[in-house]
Each structure stands twice: as C-alpha cells, then as structure tokens.
Amino acid sequence: MGKAKNNKSTKVNGPGFFSRWWGKLTGRTASIVVGICFAIFLIFLSSSFVSFIMSGGADNSQLEANSGVNLNATDNGVQNYTGSLGARMAMFLMNGCFGWAAFAMLPFLAALVVRLFDWRRPQLAKWFIGSVFGLVWGSLFFSFVFGDFMQGSFMSPGGTHGENVSAWLVSQIGPLGMVLLLLVTFVLFMIYLTRDTIKWMKMAFNFGASQVGKLKPASSQDEDNDEEKIDDETTDEDVADETIDKKTDENDKDDEYSECTVEDGGFTVELPVESDAKEGGSVEQAANVVTENEQPVATEQENEVAFDVEQAVVEEDTGGKMLAPINPKDELCYYKTPSLDLLDKYEAPIHSIDMEEQTANKNKIVEVLKNFDIEISSIKATVGPTITLYEITPAPGVRISKIRGLEDDIAMSLSALCIRIIAPIPGKGTIGIEVPNSNKQIVPMVSLLNSRKFKESDMALPLALGKTISNDIYMVDLAKMPHLLVAGATGMGKSVGLNAIITSLLYKMHPAYLKFVMVDPKMVELSLYKVLEKHFLAKLESEDESIITDVNRVVRTLKSLCVEMDNRYKLLQDACVRSLKEYNEKYLNRQLLPTKGHRFMPYIVVIIDEYGDLMMQAGKEIELPIARIAQKARAVGIHMIIATQRPTTNIITGTIKANFPARMAFRVISPIDSRTILERTGANQLQGRGDMLFLAGNDPVRVQCALVETKEVERVCEYIAKQQGYTSAYFLPDPDDADIEAGGSVARGGEISSDKLDSLFADAARTVVLHQQGSTSMLQRKYNIGFNRAGRIMDQLCQTGIVGEQDGSKPRQVLCDDEAELEFRIKSLL
C-alpha cells in the first residue's frame, strides 16, 4: 500500500508530457518562432487568394485538365504567384468552400501573429468567432446576391457551401425570408461585436423620425397645436402617469448606456430648485411650490391650481422640459476601463499539492513536539500560494506558551528560513504554524481583477491586494479604513504593493469619481502615472509637474489639501449632510445649486512614497498637515496612503500611528520595526517577495500580494492616456503662502513678527553689522546670555535677512553692509 501511495503522489507532483511541452511553447522565444511561421503562412495565403482572382481562369482550366502528378512537375503551367500549391489551396477554399468569404480568415491569422509577437493583446476568441461568422454568413450572402450574375464564371462568389446552403434556404423560406435571415443575423452579430450598435440604430431611427416630422404639412401642424391645447386640460393623474413613463424611459436609457447619458427633456423631481437656478427667482417662491405639491389634495379644484402653477414654472424655466439627474460621467462619456488583456497571465505549470512535502512536514512537526513531551490530538494543513498553515490541536493540559517557545526548534527541523507560530489562532481553539512552501506560487493581478468578487464589489474604493493562505481573494475598502500605512524593507514588495493598489482603483473607478495626488521623492517609482494627468491626477494650478518630487512642493501641496478639506466641510455644512456620499447624491439629484457654490466632489487618494525621506528633510512641516488630513478628511473623501522603508519610531511617530489604523507590513529586518508597524512581532518572520501582513482590526491577516510588473503598468497607463481626457488636471486650491510654523512665530513674507522678536534683537543686529561677523558665541560673550537664547537671536537675524545661513563651524556671513541699511530693516520690522 505504501508503494502505491508513493506512485500516486509522484503522478500528481510531476508535470505531464503536455504540461512540459505547453510550458516550452508559451515561452518568449517559441512565441516569436511560431509567430514568424504564421506570418509567412498569412502572406502566402493572401498572395494565393489575390493571384487566384487575377489569373484564376487560366489556372482553373489547367488544374482541372491535368492530374496531380503533372502539377508537381516544373512545367505545370500554373500562373498563380504562389505556384501549384497556392493555386490548389485558393481553389479549394474559394471555389470548393466559401467563395469570396474565404478572405474572412485572414484577419484572425493577422491577430494571431500580433498576439504571438506581443505587439498588442487582441481578444483571439472574438477574432475567431468573427472570422467563422464571416466565412459562413459571407458565403451565403455572396451566393444569394451575386450567384445568378456570375454563372459560368471560373469563380463561385459563395463557393460550394454558399451555393448549396443558399439554394436550400431559398427553397424553404423564400427570397424574402432569406433577406430577413441575413439581415437579422448580421444585426445580432454587430450587437455581439460592439455595444454601440443599438445606439447607432436608435440614432438612425430618431433621425428618420425627425425628417418625417419636418415634412408635415401646415394643416397637420395646426392639428398638433390643437392637440397640445387639449393636452393642457388633462387631469393630474394623466400628467403623473406621463411623468412616470418618461422617468422610466430615462432610467432604461441610463441602464442601457451607462457610458454616455443622453438628456432628452425628461421630467425631474426638483422642479422648484431648477426654477430658482434658471430664472433667478426667489427661494421662497420655489419653496411654496414644493409645499403645495407635497400637501394632501382635498378637491379637484386645488389639484388644478397646483397643476397650473407647476406648469407655469416649467414653461417659464425650461420651455416645458425638465432636466434629468446630473451624470458626472457625461464629460468623458466614452471612457472605457482598461482591458484585462493588458495584464500578464503568468501561466505556470498546473498547481498541485505536493503530498510528499506536506506529509514530511507534518511528521517533522509531530516529532519535534513529541521530543519535548507535547502531545497533540489532531493536525490539519491549509496550503496557500507561498506558505502552508498547519493547525494543531494540543492535548488537554498542554500550555500554549510551551509550544510558542519551540519556534526555532521547529524551523531547524523543517530546514526552513523562518516560520511563524500563531498561538492561538483567533476564533479557533487551535495553534497555527506557518511554514513556507518549497515551490511558491505567483498571484497575478489579472486573477484578482477578473474574479466575481472584484467585479461585483460595491465598495467605494476597492483595493484588491492578493490572496490569503486559503487562496481566497483579499479585498478591502479604502473609504472605510480610511488611511493606510505601508512599510517594509527594500526589495520586499512595497512598490509592487502600491502598484497593485493603484491598478485596482484604475480598473474600477471612472476619472470623474477619483483623483490621485502622488508624491515620489525618489522620482522613479510613480513617474509611470504622469501620463494620466488629464484623467486621474490632481495638482496645484501653478505647478507644472503632476507627480510631486520636491520637498517644498510637497509641503505646499499638503497645505493645499488642508484647504480643500476645509472647503469641502463648508459645503457639507451648507448641504446639511455628514459625508461625501450623501452630498454627491443630493448634488446629482439637483437638490444643490451650482450657482450657490456647490459642485460634484470626487474622491482624492494621496499616495506618498518614501515618507521617511520627507521626514528627514522637512520633519514637522510634513507631519502636521498629514496628521490634520488623517484626523478629519475621511468624511470629505480624502484618503492617504503613505509608504516607507524605514519603519522607525522617529519616522512613524505616535501621531501618525494614531491616525493610520490600517497597516500593510512587508518583511522588515528586526522585531522592533515590526512592533512599530503592527504593535507586535511577525513582520520580521515573513518570506519577502510580496509576503505581507495586513492589519485592519484586532489581528493581522497574512496575504500574498498580487504581482503587477512595470510593463503591465505602462500598458494600462498608455491605454487610459490614449482616450479622451479633461482639458487639464484636477486643480487643488492655492494654499496660504504664509510659512506658519507650529509655534506661529513666522509671519507673512518669511519675516519675524514684532511681538516675537527678542528684546536684544536690535542691539545684537547692530553688534553683528558693526563687527561684520555673526556667531552665537560672540553674542553669548557680549551680552552674557545662554547658548539657547543666543542661538534663537541668531536664527531671527537669519530669518530677517541680516545674516546668512550657517556654514559649518564658520561664522555667518553678514548681509547688511552698513548701519543705515540695518536701521531701515529694523524700522520695517518694528
């Protein structure tokens, strides 16, 4: 039995014959070689078709007169450019099969060549279906339309297939039925091919109807006017039914064409609000109309009065037409989310559980525990992409701390780099031992974005991060977190994690609903996204670059976001709502007037890479606006994602940790760094290469981050950038240029406010200018003051432009040449 078990295990683990050869064929070199072969065949087949049309008459008689042996001779007399082989192939495919429709197979071969060369990534299934439809439908069409005109010719328009099938269909359904069949199948195929077919058909029908309306005689127009007069005397119930029907039609159109909303004069709910916005009427009048409409109606006379008032307002505002709800996508109504073909599949050998490895690890774990007199009642393994979780149930009376202390012993017995013990597993009465797999699996980004969980997600800002140990797709909502801290050592997958976050948002959100503010001190990590400036990026109007790399610009942008946050809170206060979602719903339903400053507000996601470098250069100037945004900006739709490779306490301060509850930790070097990120150890025991712990609650979840490479990001950004965008980026408000420090000692223009100047400032300035030398030690000796006060006076002299910046141990340069200039500066300050 043991031998049979080993044979079975070997069969499962070893890749089969077809798997090995498929792996070779899908390699880059093999794809190019196969692509060259198909390209040559495509050129040969196209040439044979064209040459058959030009010289097919002579070749047709030659092919029928001679035998196959003579055609193989050198003097066979065939005039086709591709020789006797091409002539026979063209004659078989055109006359013997599909006629002129045989050309329909060429586009599929061309798409296949393009895919093999990796120039583009066309959908081969759709191209194949199109070619098959072209062969079948085209042969029937050409045979039915041109068959009678080309009788006796060497070429059959529809080939043998078209002639036989067309003749049988005509005998069954007649010529009219044949025409209808060809028309209906063509329309159905066009609907399958593109969603714009229905829209084109409706536009054609509407155009025809409008042309018919223009040709009405004057008498018919008079009759229409009479009918309008009669319609004005209808009851409220008829008007209500008509309103409901029009709303239903508009909803159907919106559902059918989610990409482009067409306003065709339907009714809207907020009639009084539109009246006030369009004609500038009083708000009280609009409010009175709403009150009359909402009050219960007692008599028919009151109904007629209310109806007359409402109709008068409508005709006065919009000429009898009501506006549909606002659709923020209208400006970019033809925008399409990127295709999944832009992402790599990473086709690997068929995944199978290595039972030998799992059994060996289980036996080693049990053996180590027995060596230390620890009995277990059961053990279960859950195999993930990169690690396997062994859940053990200890026998009664076994202390958990005793198993936790055996971490190094178990790792040594398994010959593993490091393992992680979860004692106990939250929500279960078991202890978990996470052991790395010998054959790690890649989690491609396309597998997450193509899943039903992502496509049917109703999250406001969905982030598809990767897969858990149980191979479940792990997704979170950034709008609920509401801010995310990403940390990890260099090369552990932090940048790939940021790309996965951005890619999942690009595949889910429309540019009207989302804007990014990207800060990249390294200048290379986020530069790929600068082509999205007119689609997804936000910046200051005075800035040239949409990706922020300079520290001074970072501070100014963060202050601008604070201004944007305050402005949004004022709008929410005026609208009497508590969140961005409620505000936008009111605005889209025309309950908030743009004339009163209201506007549609998209989500803003701020992504800061290398936060540690910014803290080293700017410190509090960076930390304070970030903390302010993190504390207040959740309700107005501004969310932050900051990443750092130095998770130390001086970088990730207590203020930052308190306002960033969600943490994404990749592998770090020391347990201290892990405690800084997660408030516990564990991140130092990860495997690297995308292995991470995600903390959004009480306990972290181990996730294998999805892989999205730079070339995939480039293709996605290029796809979006080629589409129509806005005229410019989303502009943030200009911040107050006053350089306000935490203590408030700096006033406008970078000068010291007079109430903050030291009492010895003027005397110290005169002394420095008189001696033309500025140093802290000189002020200490001259005025018998301490080092701290002397240093503060010297800083004030520097900020007012009297002395220059400090240059090591050298005295500061004095910028005032004489006492007259100094006195002028002192008077301007005081």
Side-chain angles (χ1 to χ4, degrees):
M1 293 180 65
K3 185 176 180 180
K5 185 175 182 180
N6 293 335
N7 292 338
K8 183 178 181 181
S9 177
T10 303
K11 183 178 180 180
V12 173
N13 296 329
F17 174 80
F18 294 103
S19 300
R20 291 196 304 270
W21 278 101
W22 177 251
K24 295 179 180 180
L25 290 177
T26 53
R28 177 62 179 166
T29 304
S31 298
I32 295 177
V33 173
V34 176
I36 293 175
C37 295
F38 273 104
I40 296 174
F41 177 71
L42 174 63
I43 297 173
F44 181 82
L45 188 62
S46 304
S47 303
S48 66
F49 285 170
V50 175
S51 181
F52 181 76
I53 295 176
M54 299 173 60
S55 61
D59 288 346
N60 195 23
S61 59
Q62 188 75 12
L63 292 173
E64 290 179 354
N66 293 331
S67 63
V69 178
N70 293 333
L71 289 175
N72 294 329
T74 56
D75 55 347
N76 50 28
V78 176
Q79 300 180 10
N80 195 296
Y81 296 150
T82 56
S84 61
L85 178 61
R88 282 182 288 180
M89 185 183 302
M91 181 177 180
F92 172 75
L93 291 175
M94 300 191 75
N95 284 352
C97 294
F98 303 105
W100 296 340
F103 281 93
M105 67 178 62
L106 301 180
F108 170 72
L109 294 176
L112 183 61
V113 171
V114 171
R115 181 66 177 270
L116 290 172
F117 283 140
D118 202 17
W119 292 337
R120 299 280 182 183
R121 301 183 69 87
Q123 298 181 5
L124 295 181
K126 181 172 286 189
W127 283 90
F128 178 75
I129 294 175
S131 297
V132 173
F133 177 83
L135 291 173
V136 177
W137 188 90
S139 65
L140 295 177
F141 175 79
F142 291 133
S143 179
F144 177 72
V145 176
F146 301 101
D148 295 338
F149 298 99
M150 299 190 65
Q151 288 184 357
S153 174
F154 73 93
M155 184 181 299
S156 175
T160 304
H161 170 268
E163 292 178 358
N164 296 335
V165 178
S166 176
W168 181 80
L169 288 175
V170 170
S171 66
Q172 299 297 319
I173 60 178
L176 179 59
M178 187 65 178
V179 172
L180 294 177
L181 178 63
L182 292 174
L183 180 62
V184 170
T185 53
F186 180 76
V187 171
L188 291 177
F189 176 73
M190 291 301 297
I191 293 175
Y192 162 77
L193 202 62
T194 173
R195 292 181 295 177
D196 295 335
T197 302
I198 300 178
K199 182 177 67 178
W200 295 337
M201 294 171 60
K202 286 195 173 185
M203 291 174 61
F205 291 152
N206 293 335
F207 178 77
S210 62
Q211 295 299 321
V212 173
K214 291 180 181 179
L215 298 177
K216 284 186 177 181
S219 58
S220 62
Q221 294 181 358
D222 296 337
E223 292 177 359
D224 293 341
N225 295 333
D226 295 338
E227 291 177 0
E228 291 178 1
K229 294 180 180 179
I230 296 175
D231 291 340
D232 291 339
E233 300 176 359
T234 57
T235 62
D236 284 346
E237 295 180 358
D238 296 335
V239 174
D241 294 339
E242 183 180 358
T243 304
I244 294 173
D245 293 339
K246 291 188 176 182
K247 288 182 180 179
T248 305
D249 294 340
E250 287 180 2
N251 293 334
D252 293 340
K253 290 181 180 180
D254 290 340
D255 293 339
E256 191 169 5
Y257 306 108
S258 59
E259 296 179 354
C260 184
T261 302
V262 181
E263 295 184 0
D264 56 352
F267 286 86
T268 187
V269 178
E270 294 302 321
L271 169 63
V273 175
E274 289 302 319
S275 172
D276 182 46
K278 295 277 180 150
E279 293 297 323
S282 64
V283 179
E284 296 179 358
Q285 179 182 0
N288 292 334
V289 176
V290 175
T291 305
E292 290 175 0
N293 291 336
E294 292 179 351
Q295 288 177 352
V297 181
T299 62
E300 295 180 359
Q301 185 176 0
E302 293 180 0
N303 290 343
E304 294 176 359
V305 172
F307 173 74
D308 292 340
V309 173
E310 189 174 359
Q311 284 295 103
V313 174
V314 172
E315 292 173 359
E316 201 175 55
D317 292 342
T318 60
K321 293 184 178 181
M322 301 287 293
L323 296 177
I326 299 175
N327 187 356
K329 299 181 181 180
D330 281 347
E331 193 169 353
L332 296 183
C333 58
Y334 292 105
Y335 175 82
K336 294 182 179 180
T337 55
S339 171
L340 293 176
D341 292 334
L342 301 173
L343 302 176
D344 293 335
K345 300 294 190 300
Y346 296 102
E347 295 179 357
I350 301 175
H351 172 66
S352 60
I353 298 176
D354 192 343
M355 294 303 301
E356 289 184 356
E357 179 185 358
Q358 305 306 325
T359 304
N361 289 341
K362 181 201 71 172
N363 295 334
K364 291 178 181 179
I365 292 173
V366 173
E367 182 180 357
V368 172
L369 294 177
K370 283 184 178 181
N371 291 338
F372 289 91
D373 298 329
I374 298 176
E375 297 292 335
I376 60 174
S377 57
S378 65
I379 183 170
K380 182 180 70 172
T382 303
V383 183
T386 57
I387 63 171
T388 299
L389 174 64
Y390 293 91
E391 296 184 35
I392 62 175
T393 304
V398 176
R399 299 180 60 182
I400 295 178
S401 59
K402 193 174 181 180
I403 300 178
R404 190 185 292 116
L406 300 177
E407 182 175 318
D408 295 336
D409 298 281
I410 297 176
M412 183 179 66
S413 66
L414 296 176
S415 300
L417 180 63
C418 60
I419 66 170
R420 178 169 170 260
I421 295 180
I422 310 173
I425 297 178
K428 297 182 179 180
T430 58
I431 297 174
I433 302 176
E434 295 176 345
V435 180
N437 296 334
S438 58
N439 296 321
K440 297 178 175 59
Q441 297 282 325
I442 294 177
V443 179
M445 192 68 194
V446 66
S447 64
L448 306 183
L449 303 181
N450 197 29
S451 64
R452 178 179 298 180
K453 184 175 182 179
F454 181 81
K455 292 180 178 179
E456 299 179 356
S457 171
D458 57 352
M459 298 179 181
L461 295 172
L463 305 182
L465 299 180
K467 291 186 177 181
T468 62
I469 297 177
S470 57
N471 279 301
D472 295 330
I473 295 175
Y474 191 77
M475 289 180 56
V476 292
D477 190 359
L478 180 61
K480 293 182 179 180
M481 284 194 279
H483 310 288
L484 178 61
L485 174 63
V486 183
T490 304
M492 295 296 110
K494 177 169 47 61
S495 299
V496 176
L498 289 179
N499 287 333
I501 290 173
I502 298 173
T503 302
S504 60
L505 291 175
L506 293 178
Y507 269 85
K508 193 69 174 181
M509 305 297 291
H510 189 276
Y513 289 90
L514 176 66
K515 301 298 175 183
F516 289 104
V517 175
M518 296 186 178
V519 178
D520 184 17
K522 289 200 300 187
M523 306 181 187
V524 294
E525 293 294 342
L526 302 178
S527 60
L528 298 173
Y529 301 100
K530 64 182 179 181
V531 296
L532 306 180
E533 177 177 344
K534 295 184 178 180
H535 294 83
F536 283 101
L537 297 187
K539 67 173 185 177
L540 289 169
E541 188 174 2
S542 58
E543 300 289 349
D544 296 330
E545 298 293 333
S546 54
I547 306 297
I548 307 167
T549 57
D550 184 68
V551 178
N552 296 327
R553 293 175 56 203
V554 173
V555 175
R556 197 163 184 266
T557 302
L558 291 176
K559 291 182 178 179
S560 174
L561 288 170
C562 292
V563 176
E564 173 73 10
M565 177 184 67
D566 295 336
N567 294 340
R568 290 191 173 197
Y569 267 112
K570 292 177 182 178
L571 293 177
L572 263 64
Q573 182 183 12
D574 296 340
C576 299
V577 295
R578 299 180 59 184
S579 66
L580 179 73
K581 183 178 180 181
E582 297 175 2
Y583 176 88
N584 284 337
E585 287 179 356
K586 272 194 169 185
Y587 179 81
L588 297 180
N589 291 326
R590 301 186 183 273
Q591 298 177 14
L592 302 174
L593 300 179
T595 55
K596 294 185 178 180
H598 292 287
R599 56 190 171 91
F600 180 81
M601 296 186 293
Y603 287 98
I604 297 179
V605 177
V606 185
I607 300 177
I608 302 178
D609 193 16
E610 295 301 334
Y611 172 71
D613 182 68
L614 297 178
M615 286 291 293
M616 292 176 62
Q617 298 184 56
K620 291 294 183 182
E621 294 185 29
I622 294 290
E623 183 181 1
L624 291 179
I626 287 179
R628 188 163 179 259
I629 293 171
Q631 289 171 357
K632 294 179 56 180
R634 171 181 182 175
V636 293
I638 301 178
H639 306 276
M640 300 196 72
I641 301 174
I642 63 176
T644 179
Q645 62 181 358
R646 297 183 63 237
T648 56
T649 53
N650 61 334
I651 300 298
I652 304 177
T653 61
T655 305
I656 296 299
K657 291 171 64 176
N659 295 287
F660 283 76
R663 322 278 175 81
M664 195 163 77
F666 294 89
R667 186 181 180 183
V668 294
I669 304 302
S670 65
I672 299 177
D673 294 340
S674 179
R675 288 191 182 96
T676 304
I677 307 169
L678 302 174
E679 308 293 344
R680 72 200 73 194
T681 59
N684 57 309
Q685 300 170 324
L686 299 176
Q687 300 299 309
R689 299 181 61 85
D691 189 14
M692 69 177 183
L693 290 173
F694 190 89
L695 178 65
N698 296 327
D699 299 292
V701 180
R702 192 161 185 176
V703 180
Q704 177 61 37
C705 184
L707 175 61
V708 52
E709 293 186 352
T710 303
K711 60 181 181 180
E712 301 176 65
V713 177
E714 290 178 348
R715 289 196 292 261
V716 172
C717 293
E718 181 183 359
Y719 180 89
I720 297 176
K722 288 182 179 179
Q723 302 187 53
Q724 178 188 358
Y726 297 101
T727 56
S728 62
Y730 182 86
F731 289 139
L732 299 173
D734 290 329
D736 188 359
D737 290 331
D739 190 13
I740 302 175
E741 294 183 352
S745 62
V746 181
R748 295 182 182 275
E751 298 178 349
I752 304 297
S753 57
S754 59
D755 57 338
K756 298 296 182 181
L757 290 175
D758 193 277
S759 59
L760 295 175
F761 174 81
D763 296 335
R766 295 186 182 97
T767 301
V768 169
V769 174
L770 179 63
H771 293 84
Q772 286 295 307
Q773 181 180 0
S775 66
T776 304
S777 59
M778 183 185 69
L779 295 180
Q780 287 181 267
R781 294 191 304 270
K782 184 71 174 177
Y783 297 103
N784 195 21
I785 58 177
F787 176 81
N788 292 335
R789 186 178 181 184
R792 185 163 57 251
I793 294 174
M794 190 59 64
D795 290 339
Q796 292 176 358
L797 292 173
C798 178
Q799 292 171 0
T800 53
I802 297 176
V803 298
E805 297 287 343
Q806 185 176 2
D807 185 12
S809 60
K810 298 179 181 179
R812 295 175 184 257
Q813 181 184 1
V814 181
L815 303 179
C816 289
D817 297 331
D818 51 27
E819 294 184 3
E821 182 182 355
L822 174 64
E823 293 299 330
F824 176 78
R825 291 200 178 191
I826 293 177
K827 288 181 181 180
S828 64
L829 291 173
L830 300 178

